[in-house]
Amino acid sequence: MEQGKHRRLFMSFMMGVGMVLLGSSSFAEEAAPPATPPAASAPAAQAAPAPKLPAYFTTTSPEPQKPMWPDPTGGNSGVWATPAGDGKGDVPEKLSIQDVYDRIAHNLYSINYVWVLVAGFLVMFMQAGFMLVETGLCRAKNSSHTSAMNLLIYPLGGIGFFIYGFAIGWGNWWNGPVPPGWYPSLGPGLSLLNSGFGLGAAVDAAGKATGAFTYGLFGTTGWFLNGAVNDVAVMVLFFFMMVFMDTTATIPTGAMAERWSWKNFCLYGLWIALPYCLYANWVWGGGWLAQGGVNWGLGHGAVDFAGSGVVHAMGGIIALAGAMVIGPRIGKYDSQGRPLAMPGHNVPMVVLGTFILAFGWFGFNPGSTLAGTDLRISYVVVNTMLASFTGTIFAMFTLWAKGLKPDTTMMCNGMLAGLVAITAPCAFVDPWAAAVIGAVAGVLVVLSVFFWEARGIDDPVGAISVHGVNGLWGVLSVGIFANGAYGAGWNGVVREGMVKLYGSDGVRGLLYGDFSQFVMQAIDCAVVAGFGFVMAYVWFKLSNLITPIRVSKEVELEGLDGPEMGVLGYPDFQLHPSGQKLVE
């Protein structure tokens, strides 16, 4: 996310993190200079000495030969209270201001850790929602195979993220653009994510590379979560970002369901972290799209609070490429090329999955503050909810306008489309704008489903329309509806002109006086669509040479459960010619 504000990193970094509690500057404000004592006798030209800050706010170890980070226990980020970990006890009159300060800081980090981890647990549970939606929208003969893809993509994608994805995406997060007064909400351990590759390497006064780049391309720290990043803060960030990546990884399983061969799918599961984490670095890891504001004067650079683009558009674009390469299901189109309905086998399952996903989204979006101490989470929650409401309702209205019945499954996709669209702007817009964004998403998802279907793109669950089309709409909507109330200093951008006009330089769209942000969001949309499609199309073509991407005609007609998985989803009423092989 940018690395300076909430999520950039998913963030970005977090708003000023405990500096508010500790009397320091907020993430959006520069610290005020200390007041000059009334009786000061020192020459006016003499600069005031820099304040002495605890090591956990400077990321500098008092003894360089004994670095305090990586910190595998969190003991170097203040001190917990009752019982105190420093052995001094908790008798107030026996504690110094420094002791109290240490306890406040440690408590701040603890609140943020628990918030981000619990939010991550909700995102992980969304995997169950995806499984129910996709499996219910497919035919019974493929239920075991479809649900198994949703199961295995979680460990496959996670292993790829562990081996190489995290390092590529967040390995140089610390050196991305940050706002004045900023400090990471998860503590000083994130300073370990400090090496990468890019164009225009920055150097210090001595000519030594600082690790920062004018145009960051990817990180190089954190392969296999090696000892160099063996730190509590890094582990929290790793977990949260991993479950986000698995959301992207799951999306194509729905669009390519009912004909994707198992072995080819397994190869995909190990590959998906590559395109995802490269693009995530550019937006959330402090890379060149996040730097668009600093380098090109385009708003605050690419802004995507919780991943309409990074997570959903990327997944939807990959799904489009995969559906094009694998081709439509047998029987989807008649001899004249007209699409035929192929109903899913369990609509109540789809509705249950949709509610699970909507519930998990309350971790997905507000959790992206990376800080339970960032009170903007209340706006994020309400905006997320409102967009899901209007997305559902306007999907129904659109069906009626086309002379159709209020299809239950399409209304479910309307709710999901609204949630996808609000994911990028959720922290930056007013509630009325969230409702509008969701309403547009509800219309778009219906029109998009019919659009792709009419062009021979067979997507059994509507993943391309829900995640791809509405992911792009969500990214673009930031550049339209962001109201400037939040995100001051995002991606290191502070424009004095904006501060004079509005009091602060928050993220704002064209409706609120910053057309340049809209331009930057449009560039971001073009990049994710172009980069994601090319990477995926080439990969699916290449992987098809390694092992066929599609099952045989015979297997597809029979259903993939028996031939591919050896386990039928519904053995009591499914007939499979290969059924006798299941007991061998």
Side-chain angles (χ1 to χ4, degrees), residues 38 149 204 213 276 289 343 505 552:
M149 287 196 294
D204 58 21
F213 298 90
Y276 176 87
L289 288 173
D505 188 13
S552 67

Side-chain angles (χ1 to χ4, degrees), residues 451-468:
F451 173 85
W452 295 115
E453 187 177 61
R455 281 151 185 79
I457 305 299
D458 182 16
D459 178 359
V461 307
I464 298 167
S465 301
V466 170
H467 301 279

Side-chain angles (χ1 to χ4, degrees), residues 157 320 479 547:
L320 173 61
T547 183

